Amino acid sequence: MDRYLLSEMLLPFLGGVGAFTTLVMAVSSLFELVRLVVEAGLSISVALQVFLLRAPGIIVLTFPMAMLLATLLAYGRLSADSEITALRACGVSLYRLVVPAVLLSLLVTALTFLFNELVVPVSNRQAALTLNRALNRYPDFRRENILYQEFGEILTPEPDGSFSRRQGLTRQFYARSFDGQEMRGVIVLDVSNEALSQILLAQRGRWDPRENLWVFEEGTTYIVSPDGTYSNIATFSRQELRLSRAPLDLAQEVRSPEEMNIPELRRYIEVLASSGDLQRVRRLQVNLSQKYAIPFACLAFTLIGAPLGLRPQRTSSSLGLGLSVLIIFAYYVLLFVSQALGQIGTLGPEVAAWLPNFVCLGIGGALLYRANR
């Protein structure tokens, strides 16, 4: 019975992947590339290459949609041919009938997660690079006004000669320009010790990956006393400082969340968090949580599609496709709303990412319970 039910779902699943992929790619990618070919002079060969590189990211989005369509059509066909009635007459419960669909959805969930981690970020990144090079756009790194703020522990002198500690802004890094290798017009303000602040101005600065430190050239260091006077001024032709490489990461990382896997996105969030850009951190935390939550939409859609297909009435393929589109539309509307609420801080990142799944699971569980009565 399990093999039979799985075979009934396999063909609609593959057909759903093909149908939904064609639809989504036409809407989200094809129209844009055609416009670029006509208006920006993008060559057809490059447009085709970008179109194919974007395909994995779109295909993986259709897996949950295809699971919904597969369960609707498979169980709908079995119900219309009275095979569900025959199985129930043999003592098979509706809960047991849904088990193969749930197992298949978990397999597709794992496949979706692996695809999102191993294939989609690389293909999306390559598509963006290919398109930018063809259009003479190079947004691979931030070229001007790199500003990084570092927060940590500040030492405050006490009257008895001791130091108290508090949290706050400890260091500010600014570079006027960046060419991908070297920063120019660098200013480093260190206020981690209120008794003695330090200002470093350098014409050039670069990161040495072998020594894990910054190398500044042609600059001046100012030591500022608490009363605002300069207690020491020293010029240098080369100076090495063990500062965080986060300013370099901040300048180099301009990729979207779709171009990063979970470890890369988590590391970038840490860089932004230490810089104090909390609003952007909140948005990326929602994206990070969605990388875990969206694959489980396969299970949520399965638990909705199976009881709807089990209804004792005849359904056509066109009706199943139309019902799938309505459910998918409602899901993504809820996803966008919860994502927006998470980004503005109304909901936590995890709640915002998982809320659509929880709603679908609740509806699916209620439908299955009602169908089994």
Side-chain angles (χ1 to χ4, degrees), residues 79-370:
S79 179
D81 292 346
S82 301
E83 294 184 47
I84 297 298
T85 303
L87 287 169
R88 296 199 69 180
C90 295
V92 181
S93 70
L94 285 183
Y95 295 125
R96 180 62 181 83
L97 286 172
V98 176
V99 169
V102 172
L103 294 178
L104 179 61
S105 70
L106 291 175
L107 177 62
V108 176
T109 296
L111 180 63
T112 304
F113 183 81
L114 292 175
F115 216 69
N116 270 331
E117 284 299 290
L118 302 178
V119 179
V120 173
V122 177
S123 64
N124 283 344
R125 180 61 173 169
Q126 192 60 42
L129 290 174
T130 302
L131 184 61
N132 289 331
R133 287 169 184 158
L135 298 176
N136 294 321
R137 300 185 311 205
Y138 299 94
D140 296 338
F141 54 86
R142 190 176 300 177
R143 294 178 175 272
E144 295 180 345
N145 300 322
I146 295 92
L147 178 63
Y148 172 79
Q149 294 177 317
E150 188 172 274
F151 292 82
E153 194 174 75
I154 300 176
L155 298 178
T156 304
E158 299 293 341
D160 59 0
S162 63
F163 287 89
S164 62
R165 303 173 186 271
R166 62 181 178 86
Q167 295 295 316
L169 177 66
T170 58
R171 187 176 291 114
Q172 186 159 301
F173 185 105
Y174 172 80
R176 185 178 63 253
S177 62
F178 180 51
D179 60 8
Q181 298 293 329
E182 189 176 71
M183 294 189 180
R184 293 184 176 273
V186 179
I187 302 174
V188 180
L189 172 63
D190 190 328
V191 291
S192 58
N193 188 340
E194 290 190 349
L196 207 63
S197 300
Q198 179 176 329
I199 304 173
L200 181 144
L201 283 73
Q203 294 186 17
R204 297 178 299 277
R206 59 181 174 82
W207 173 260
D208 187 344
R210 293 173 299 179
E211 301 294 333
N212 289 325
L213 49 78
W214 284 91
V215 178
F216 298 105
E217 298 176 347
E218 306 298 330
T220 306
T221 301
Y222 300 88
I223 305 299
V224 184
S225 301
D227 58 2
T229 60
Y230 295 110
S231 59
N232 188 20
I233 301 176
T235 60
F236 60 86
S237 59
R238 174 188 170 94
Q239 182 170 332
E240 298 177 349
L241 286 179
R242 292 196 175 275
L243 307 176
S244 170
R245 65 161 284 154
L248 181 63
D249 294 334
L250 191 66
Q252 290 178 336
E253 292 281 8
V254 294
R255 291 182 289 176
S256 66
E258 292 77 16
E259 297 172 14
M260 292 184 278
N261 56 28
I262 289 176
E264 291 171 338
L265 182 55
R266 183 178 287 116
R267 180 176 61 83
Y268 188 47
I269 290 174
E270 292 174 354
V271 171
L272 288 178
S274 62
S275 70
D277 192 351
L278 300 181
Q279 184 176 4
R280 194 175 178 192
V281 166
R282 189 183 301 114
R283 292 199 302 267
L284 292 179
Q285 284 175 337
V286 175
N287 295 133
L288 178 62
S289 298
Q290 285 179 334
K291 286 183 176 290
Y292 293 100
I294 288 180
F296 281 91
C298 298
L299 176 61
F301 281 171
T302 296
L303 290 180
I304 290 180
L308 289 178
L310 286 169
R311 293 177 303 168
Q313 57 184 8
R314 296 184 177 273
T315 57
S316 63
S317 298
S318 59
L319 180 60
L321 180 59
L323 191 57
S324 299
V325 172
L326 289 176
I327 295 173
I328 292 165
F329 177 76
Y331 173 85
Y332 279 101
V333 167
L334 180 58
L335 179 66
F336 293 145
V337 170
S338 64
Q339 179 179 344
L341 292 175
Q343 290 175 348
I344 64 176
T346 304
L347 298 176
E350 294 80 10
V351 175
W354 286 92
L355 181 61
N357 287 351
F358 291 149
V359 171
C360 288
L361 288 173
I363 294 174
L367 290 173
L368 188 60
Y369 174 77
R370 183 178 178 181

Side-chain angles (χ1 to χ4, degrees), residues 68-80:
L68 174 62
L69 181 63
T71 52
L72 271 171
L73 294 184
Y75 285 100
R77 206 279 301 169
L78 293 173
S79 179

